[in-house]
Each structure stands twice: as structure tokens, then as C-alpha cells.
Amino acid sequence: MQFSIKSAATAALLATSVSALPVKRRSSITDVDILHHIQLEHLESVFYKEALAKMGEEDFLAAGYGAQHYNDILYIVYDEESHVELLTSAITAAGATPVTACNYSFPYTDVKSFLTLAGILKGVGSAAYLGTAPSISSKVYLSTAGPILMTEALHDATHRFNQGEVPIANPYGSALGLNEDTAVTTFSVGNEDIPKDFFATFVNGHLTSSVVTTVNGTTISAVLPVDLVGGQTYAFLTNANTTVVMDSQVLFEPAILEVTPGVPTFNSSLL
């Protein structure tokens, strides 16, 4: 099993734009509150449109990517715009006021860094929809979010394939709910006061697993759990050994890892 840590620039974007540190959960969350994940759809729509205004097919080709890769991006940006329109319509029909797009600062400088960031955002988007779906009480709203989740997952697999990653690296999608959405891995925590006892908690597919950490100055290290399967993985620093990440447990915002699984095996006698 191999892993890589996604870029620091991506962590900065997540921290400022999509709440890498969990937002405190209110006592009463409504279906409309959940549908306001539209903010993420706004972010993605603006992200792709701004990039395509700066970089055309010739830039993709010059960077070593094929014409089909560029065409895939065109389909994705069309889908993101459609998602914004659908969620806006659903929220308006509920008698609420939809949120609007914010001003974003995206830390990419070329085609490669844009595509790396796009793949991470797709993983976060799919995880956010999957994590919040169980909290939706209305079947009407659930039927609105469900098709978007399916398409976001297709986008995620497309990005992963085009980036040379395993498109279906995990049998299960990772779920980041209203609390989270926000080998060895290391965290650099600067000069903050480091607590004596805390854990690295990994969210990977349907698994949430905590391991003990070691501290060397301002660097915190943890051994990846042996039961991690693969794919985009979220590593939180928490004050508890937990299987469900809660607001009160999170000490530092997550690192995002890409875990490459080994060649899978299966039981041919199990039919």
C-alpha cells in the first residue's frame, strides 16, 4: 500500500472555502440547511469556469494531457452548473433563500495543479453528499441530492482515472457529515500548544479508525491503520480514540491523503 499527501495549497483552500475544520453543529438542522451544501456546488462551478477561462485545450495538450481529458472537464462544468440550478430551485420551492457564490481564491498555477486540486474537491464533494444524506428527512429532497451524489462520484472516478490513480480504490465511499465537513503520515502544527495525548483519526470508505501518535518538536507522526483500503483519505487529529468524528474531538483540520491499494484478491467460491 502506498500513500501520498495532497498539496499544502489544497489544504489552505479547504480551510478557507469549504470548512476543513468542522462547523459547530446547531441544535436543529433542517433539510434546507443540508441542501445549502449548494455552497460547495457554487465553489466547484466557479472553480471550473475560472480555470477554463484561463486554460484552453491547447494548454492541456502542452501539459501532456489528452483532448479527451479536456472534454471531460467540459462535461463536468456543465454538470456543476446544472447542480446549482437544481438545488437553487429546490430551496426556493421550500420558501427559503438560496445562498449565492462567494469570492474564491484557488491555489493553482497551471493545468497540473488545477487537475490535482479538482480531483481533491471531487472527493470532498462526494463525501459531503454521502455523509449528509442520512440526515435528510424529506424523500423529495433526498431524491434531489441522490442523483447529484451519483454524478459527483462519476466525476471523481473520471478525475482519478485521468490522473493515473485507481478510479475505484475502495468498495465504499467516504462519508463526511455535518460534523466533519468541513504507512506513516505527518502533520506540521507550527507553534501551537500540543496536547500530551491525542490520536490520528482516519476516515477511509466506511472505516473510521484512530491510532496513537508520536511527537517530535512540531511534527506529529502516525502509522496508517492496516485496515485502510485505499482512495482519498481524511486524517484528523483528535483527542479521542473514536470511530465517529465529532466536533468536540477535533484538534486540527485534516490532512488529505491518497492511499493506493494493492492488487485486490477475491474468493472465487463465494457466489
Side-chain angles (χ1 to χ4, degrees), residues 103-142:
N103 294 320
Y104 308 104
S105 178
F106 299 109
Y108 62 84
T109 56
D110 52 22
V111 172
K112 182 178 180 180
S113 57
F114 158 70
L115 291 174
T116 298
L117 182 54
I120 296 169
L121 289 178
K122 276 299 162 192
V124 171
S126 298
Y129 274 102
L130 183 60
T132 55
S135 299
I136 299 177
S137 59
S138 167
K139 291 184 178 180
V140 173
Y141 293 152
L142 189 60

Side-chain angles (χ1 to χ4, degrees), residues 3 5 183-187 200 202 211 219-224 235 255 257:
F3 80 96
I5 299 179
V184 173
T185 184
T186 60
F187 304 79
F202 297 88
V211 297
T219 299
I220 303 166
S221 301
V223 177
L224 288 175
L257 317 177

Side-chain angles (χ1 to χ4, degrees), residues 17-39:
S17 299
V18 292
S19 301
L21 275 176
V23 176
K24 289 296 182 181
R25 189 174 187 136
R26 287 177 289 177
S27 59
S28 178
I29 298 294
T30 69
D31 285 348
V32 170
D33 292 328
I34 296 172
L35 287 185
H36 270 126
H37 268 67
I38 188 177
Q39 189 62 263

Side-chain angles (χ1 to χ4, degrees), residues 64-217:
Y65 299 95
Q68 184 58 53
H69 199 157
Y70 176 76
N71 287 335
D72 288 340
I73 301 298
L74 298 182
Y75 283 105
I76 289 174
V77 70
Y78 171 79
D79 291 347
E80 298 304 338
E81 183 177 276
S82 298
H83 294 171
V84 170
E85 292 174 348
L86 178 62
L87 288 171
T88 297
S89 176
I91 293 170
T92 301
T97 302
V99 297
T100 58
C102 297
N103 294 320
Y104 308 104
S105 178
F106 299 109
Y108 62 84
T109 56
D110 52 22
V111 172
K112 182 178 180 180
S113 57
F114 158 70
L115 291 174
T116 298
L117 182 54
I120 296 169
L121 289 178
K122 276 299 162 192
V124 171
S126 298
Y129 274 102
L130 183 60
T132 55
S135 299
I136 299 177
S137 59
S138 167
K139 291 184 178 180
V140 173
Y141 293 152
L142 189 60
S143 67
T144 298
I148 296 178
L149 167 59
M150 181 177 179
T151 302
E152 291 291 334
L154 291 172
H155 293 172
D156 187 21
T158 298
H159 270 299
R160 294 179 62 82
F161 174 79
N162 285 333
Q163 292 293 92
E165 298 172 347
V166 180
I168 43 176
N170 198 307
Y172 311 100
S174 297
L176 296 178
L178 295 172
N179 287 328
E180 297 94 353
D181 104 340
T182 46
V184 173
T185 184
T186 60
F187 304 79
S188 178
V189 296
N191 296 318
E192 294 92 343
D193 292 331
I194 299 177
K196 292 182 179 180
D197 299 308
F198 56 92
F199 300 83
T201 299
F202 297 88
V203 178
N204 172 261
H206 68 349
L207 170 75
T208 299
S209 181
S210 297
V211 297
V212 295
T213 60
T214 58
V215 179
N216 182 11

